[in-house]
Amino acid sequence: MQPTNDQRLWMYRQMVTSRYLEECIETIYMEGKTPVFNMAKGPIPGEMHLSNGQEPCAVGVCAHLDAEDVVIATHRPHHIAVAKGVDLNAMVAEIFGKAGGLSGGRGGHMHIFDADVNFSCSGIIGESLGPAAGAALSRKLQGKPGVAVAFLGEGAANQGAFHEALNLAAVWQLPVVFVIEDNAWGISVAKQASTAVPRNDLRASGYNMPGMHVADNDVEGVFAAAGEAIARARDGQGPTLIEIETSRLAGHFMGDSEDYRPKGEKAGLQSHDPIPRYRRMLLEDGVLDEAADSRLVDEAHERVEAAIRFARESDFLPAEAALETVFV
């Protein structure tokens, strides 16, 4: 399956938007956190997990989805949220903890929820698996359209929930796709030190479902694999497991010293950044020219900057709102 030129431009645009958003967040996040790093300080308190380098995973999958399809992402969710069409202003306000956020600022960056496009995420490792299978089951039982996609890291494939969800998805032939973003590091633990198989897509055969592998952080390779898997799900042919070799260009979280990385690894990954690689491909194929690229980048930057202004100018919820939306 090959993307059309319009789809290629859409994927590139979402990648550029996501990357610039996170570059801006990275700068803003450090405000007030120096000279001694304190994650409680500044306009964006708490942990921050950036997805720089993993953009191909999001756009290659979400290019095949629409608002009725369910996506459940990880604690590293921004690239997926952008690609799924989450309201950017409200998402950035949520990251800032503001009242104009998707959840009134109560959730922050690891708990983005947008019912309008059926997107959610969580800070719990492997949390996407069960809810995605459940969303797919509900659609199958009710005869409703739509598929579900669970994103997870390669470390989460060693959780019990991974095996439970894949087993039930296969038994019930659910319209769900499990997408593993293999960035080679589960926080600071290398994949080969924690996982008995070299590739998690090999585990799919244990649950009688197709397993697909995408090497080299290849945008259009992800698009092709996801297109096949999502088409199977829509056609009632059950689940698929996809593992994508991707790269985490930043640390596990902002403030991570990354001492665990082998010398030279990060520089090598940055030299293989997927966004300039894809830009060169589009220019070489005549899908994009320098002027069109400049306009696309400017538009993406303007959109992000507008969302940041909206977030900065938004108010915080009043203190008494802490007792709202609480179940007792």
Side-chain angles (χ1 to χ4, degrees), residues 286-305:
V287 178
L288 194 66
D289 59 33
E290 295 287 353
D293 179 51
S294 181
R295 288 193 300 272
L296 184 151
V297 170
D298 287 346
E299 289 167 2
H301 288 194
E302 288 169 8
R303 185 179 171 216
V304 168
E305 289 163 7

Side-chain angles (χ1 to χ4, degrees), residues 2-86:
Q2 296 295 319
T4 66
N5 286 344
D6 284 346
Q7 287 171 321
R8 298 175 86 186
L9 288 172
W10 180 89
M11 290 192 289
Y12 177 59
R13 182 177 294 106
Q14 307 316 308
M15 291 170 70
V16 169
T17 301
S18 178
R19 178 65 62 86
Y20 186 61
L21 170 65
E22 292 205 320
E23 288 172 348
C24 292
I25 287 174
E26 185 173 10
T27 299
I28 297 166
Y29 181 81
M30 293 306 297
E31 292 178 12
K33 291 184 174 68
T34 54
V36 178
F37 181 78
N38 182 342
M39 70 170 58
K41 301 294 186 180
I44 305 178
E47 285 192 306
M48 177 56 61
H49 305 84
L50 301 179
S51 58
N52 291 355
Q54 297 185 198
E55 296 90 352
C57 306
V59 299
V61 173
C62 291
H64 300 283
L65 303 177
D66 53 36
E68 71 184 8
D69 298 314
V70 174
V71 167
I72 304 177
T74 71
H75 59 281
R76 197 180 308 283
H78 304 149
H79 59 316
I80 306 168
V82 168
K84 187 59 168 73
V86 170

Side-chain angles (χ1 to χ4, degrees), residues 109-193:
H109 106 97
M110 286 190 283
H111 303 96
I112 295 167
F113 178 78
D114 189 345
D116 289 341
V117 295
N118 283 308
F119 178 90
S120 64
C121 61
S122 171
I124 305 299
I125 302 302
E127 61 72 38
S128 63
L129 293 150
L137 176 61
S138 75
R139 276 155 175 71
K140 183 169 184 175
L141 291 176
Q142 297 177 73
K144 290 183 177 180
V147 303
V149 178
F151 283 87
L152 59 148
E154 84 289 338
N158 294 325
Q159 295 271 351
F162 174 83
H163 305 280
E164 294 168 4
L166 265 67
N167 183 60
L168 287 176
V171 168
W172 294 332
Q173 285 294 282
L174 300 181
V176 59
V177 179
F178 302 103
V179 179
I180 300 173
E181 297 180 279
D182 175 14
N183 63 26
W185 292 99
I187 307 180
S188 58
V189 178
K191 181 181 181 182
Q192 64 267 24

Side-chain angles (χ1 to χ4, degrees), residues 79-95:
H79 59 316
I80 306 168
V82 168
K84 187 59 168 73
V86 170
D87 183 291
L88 194 62
N89 284 12
M91 181 174 86
V92 177
E94 185 65 29
I95 292 169

